[in-house]
Amino acid sequence: MAAAAAGATPATARKALFTTTATLLSSSLIRRSCGRRSLSCSAAAAAAPRLAPQPPDLVRWVQREGGFVHPALRVTDHPEHGLGIAAAEADGDIPPGDVLIALPGRLPLRLRRPTGAADEVLVQLAQQVPEELWAMKLGLRLLQERAKPDSFWWPYIANLPETFTVPIFFPGDDIKNLQYAPLLHQVNKRCRFLLEFERAVQQKLDTVPLGDHPFYGQDVNSSSLGWAMSASSSRAFRLHGEIPMLLPLIDMCNHSFNPNARIVQEGNVNSSDMSVKVVAETKIVQNAAITLNYGCHPNDFFLLDYGFVITPNPYDQVELSYDGTLLDAASMAAGVSSPNFSAPAKWQEDILSQLNLHGEGAILKVSLGGPDIVDGRLLAALRVLLAADPEAVYKRDLKTLMSLDAEVPLGPTVEASALRTVLALCAIALQHFHTKIMEDEAILKGAPPVTTELAVQFRLQKKFMIVDVMQNISRRIKMLSPQKSTA
């Protein structure tokens, strides 16, 4: 969005919502993802300014509206992570179990039941959004409140970032710098959706009387829609009933896989006594940031929806498509000979069907990395396709065949061949990246722009993860050598 002028009033800052003075996505991205029309957007920045140049005090607003904020908490502004919540230095440690923040039911911002013609129009627009892009549904509600002259939520909205570092706002070169097809597909998909949805929104609003206009007569374009979707995806929580809500102040808590706090919803989302609380999970020492776990996800999820990359991320993965031709290439590279990858026997097809890797409706997406190291369905398929004895396979249940920790369920020879094939798949996955690890590290040392840094960090973490998988699998193969000799 365009920055509001210094000293702008809330009203003029709201008008800036729909004024597009930001840079366009590069022509490369436009050609690849957004069709003939460009998607204008805000330039991403590591520490984006707030929507209003001097936003209201959010803590005081929450307290004034019946919320609770622990007296030892303060809002901090980190140069890289932006606004966050931390324990004050002079107030001592916060013990486990203490309530840190509590919001009454009137403070969360969420989709609501229609109360008038404008809300009916908003609901009709939200119904055109696919469920996987639920953040756009909530984003429409956010835009409605941002455009409203006397919005109850203006103190919250004014504190939202003016820009976001999600990939839909990356320059075209940095889209390319991701070098990872599954994420590129998702970015392109969202860009196309924004442009198509922009047309649908404008066509709908052209038929609406001004008094029934959900955005109070203001124009809505792909830039403002992109901002709203990014704000919702990066800040919303889905609690009881899976209803996404924007939680003022709580959404300033940053992410950690080992958080010191947890979020609790009390009461039904539609009840008058509903509240949302953040409770200390561990002792919180002075100056410590308050952190929540956003979920155990790969970096694709965090970058696409939140605009950051976790380094390292124990849940990071690379996606592969289960394909006989790919497995043939991997087996050749690994020196493993099997005629069954492209043409499995009938009994092998039966087991692949049980793994949902064969037949109508099969799910062919598999992965390497994460806590399991190797996707269980992929590992089981390799073991089965490399086995020559159906009876030995049928003696094992699928759970055992899918477990990397199972003790060579089909014998050391089959196990070594399966693991060598996994190694080859890792090598093939690495070859899909156009740069080497040392080249990526050199780029990061040069203090590149924030979007370049994120793109390079994203692909670098994928490579580190693949190398870790290869090292893990190599150790397992070495451990098999004595067993193979005995056999």
Side-chain angles (χ1 to χ4, degrees):
M1 302 308 112
T9 64
T12 57
R14 290 187 184 91
K15 279 193 174 180
L17 161 65
F18 305 110
T19 304
T20 305
T21 60
T23 58
L24 298 179
L25 289 180
S26 73
S27 58
S28 172
L29 176 57
I30 295 165
R31 287 195 302 271
R32 292 178 60 183
S33 66
C34 298
R36 299 176 184 173
R37 299 177 61 188
S38 63
L39 172 63
S40 55
C41 62
S42 299
R50 303 298 98 187
L51 203 59
Q54 295 180 331
D57 187 314
L58 191 55
V59 172
R60 290 183 180 177
W61 176 71
V62 168
Q63 293 171 330
R64 187 178 69 241
E65 297 299 334
F68 169 79
V69 181
H70 195 288
L73 296 188
R74 58 188 171 90
V75 175
T76 59
D77 196 354
H78 192 279
E80 292 183 10
H81 307 305
L83 293 184
I85 306 294
E89 183 175 0
D91 290 314
D93 298 342
I94 301 174
D98 269 19
V99 174
L100 304 176
I101 304 171
L103 302 180
R106 65 195 302 255
L107 285 183
L109 177 59
R110 57 188 184 271
L111 282 170
R112 63 185 181 187
R113 293 171 181 168
T115 58
D119 286 349
E120 289 284 1
V121 174
L122 197 75
V123 169
Q124 292 170 13
L125 291 174
Q127 289 173 345
Q128 299 184 46
V129 178
E131 188 55 40
E132 64 180 297
L133 296 178
W134 59 266
M136 186 71 264
K137 297 174 182 278
L138 183 58
L140 290 170
R141 177 83 173 92
L142 176 62
L143 280 183
Q144 183 184 42
E145 290 299 327
R146 184 176 169 182
K148 189 176 181 180
D150 56 348
S151 172
F152 168 77
W153 282 278
W154 173 248
Y156 166 66
I157 296 171
N159 278 279
L160 292 177
E162 186 188 26
T163 64
F164 292 92
T165 54
V166 292
I168 61 169
F169 289 154
F170 279 17
D173 286 345
D174 287 331
I175 294 289
K176 294 179 182 177
N177 281 331
L178 293 168
Q179 297 182 7
Y180 184 62
L183 184 59
L184 289 172
H185 171 74
Q186 290 299 322
V187 175
N188 295 343
K189 183 177 179 180
R190 292 192 180 193
C191 287
R192 286 194 298 269
F193 164 77
L194 284 170
L195 288 179
E196 292 168 0
F197 192 52
E198 174 192 47
R199 290 192 288 270
V201 169
Q202 292 178 346
Q203 288 174 2
K204 179 65 176 178
L205 296 182
D206 285 344
T207 66
V208 173
L210 183 58
D212 298 338
H213 199 291
F215 308 109
Y216 301 88
Q218 298 203 51
D219 182 40
V220 176
N221 54 35
S222 54
S223 180
S224 54
L225 291 169
W227 177 87
M229 184 170 70
S230 301
S232 297
S233 70
S234 64
R235 305 181 79 86
F237 293 83
R238 304 185 77 163
L239 304 176
H240 297 340
E242 291 294 300
I243 297 175
M245 297 183 287
L246 291 167
L247 304 178
L249 200 61
I250 291 178
D251 61 12
M252 288 185 180
C253 297
N254 287 317
H255 165 77
S256 173
F257 288 130
N258 298 296
N260 55 21
R262 60 188 173 89
I263 190 167
V264 178
Q265 177 182 325
E266 296 181 348
N268 184 277
V269 68
N270 293 316
S271 66
S272 59
D273 61 347
M274 190 272 283
S275 67
V276 180
K277 298 178 179 179
V278 173
V279 180
E281 189 84 343
T282 62
K283 182 175 73 172
I284 300 174
V285 299
Q286 299 176 45
N287 285 328
I290 308 303
T291 55
L292 300 168
N293 189 342
Y294 294 179
C296 300
H297 303 294
N299 275 332
D300 313 46
F301 176 87
F302 288 114
L303 183 57
L304 190 64
D305 278 354
Y306 291 92
F308 61 76
V309 174
I310 296 177
T311 59
N313 182 349
Y315 302 96
D316 207 13
Q317 300 175 331
V318 291
E319 291 181 9
L320 303 174
S321 177
Y322 181 85
D323 177 77
T325 302
L326 174 63
L327 295 181
D328 282 338
S331 65
M332 290 179 60
V336 174
S337 176
S338 173
N340 297 326
F341 286 133
S342 295
K346 179 63 171 64
W347 68 271
Q348 292 170 325
E349 286 184 346
D350 291 342
I351 299 177
L352 291 176
S353 296
Q354 294 178 51
L355 294 169
N356 209 7
L357 291 172
H358 179 78
E360 187 176 351
I363 300 174
L364 302 180
K365 184 176 74 174
V366 293
S367 62
L368 298 171
D372 294 332
I373 312 300
V374 181
D375 188 301
R377 297 191 305 139
L378 172 63
L379 180 62
L382 292 175
R383 285 168 168 168
V384 169
L385 292 172
L386 288 164
D389 184 0
E391 291 186 9
V393 175
Y394 284 125
K395 289 179 181 178
R396 301 291 186 176
D397 57 48
L398 285 184
K399 184 177 180 181
T400 300
L401 292 174
M402 292 171 63
S403 173
L404 187 60
D405 295 327
E407 291 292 334
V408 292
L410 300 181
T413 301
V414 170
E415 190 72 2
S417 296
L419 295 182
R420 287 204 301 270
T421 305
V422 171
L423 272 182
L425 287 171
C426 289
I428 292 172
L430 272 178
Q431 291 174 356
H432 281 83
F433 294 97
H434 314 314
T435 54
K436 298 179 180 179
I437 288 176
M438 292 181 62
E439 293 173 327
D440 292 346
E441 291 176 330
I443 293 172
L444 294 176
K445 288 178 181 178
V450 61
T451 54
T452 303
E453 180 180 3
L454 283 169
V456 174
Q457 192 67 264
F458 173 83
R459 75 190 190 211
L460 181 60
Q461 292 306 309
K462 292 292 184 190
K463 296 172 192 177
F464 282 149
M465 184 275 301
I466 295 172
V467 171
D468 288 343
V469 172
M470 296 178 78
Q471 291 174 342
N472 186 301
I473 297 300
S474 296
R475 287 194 297 269
R476 293 172 185 269
I477 292 174
K478 288 181 180 179
M479 293 171 63
L480 286 173
S481 297
Q483 297 184 50
K484 287 181 64 180
S485 299
T486 304

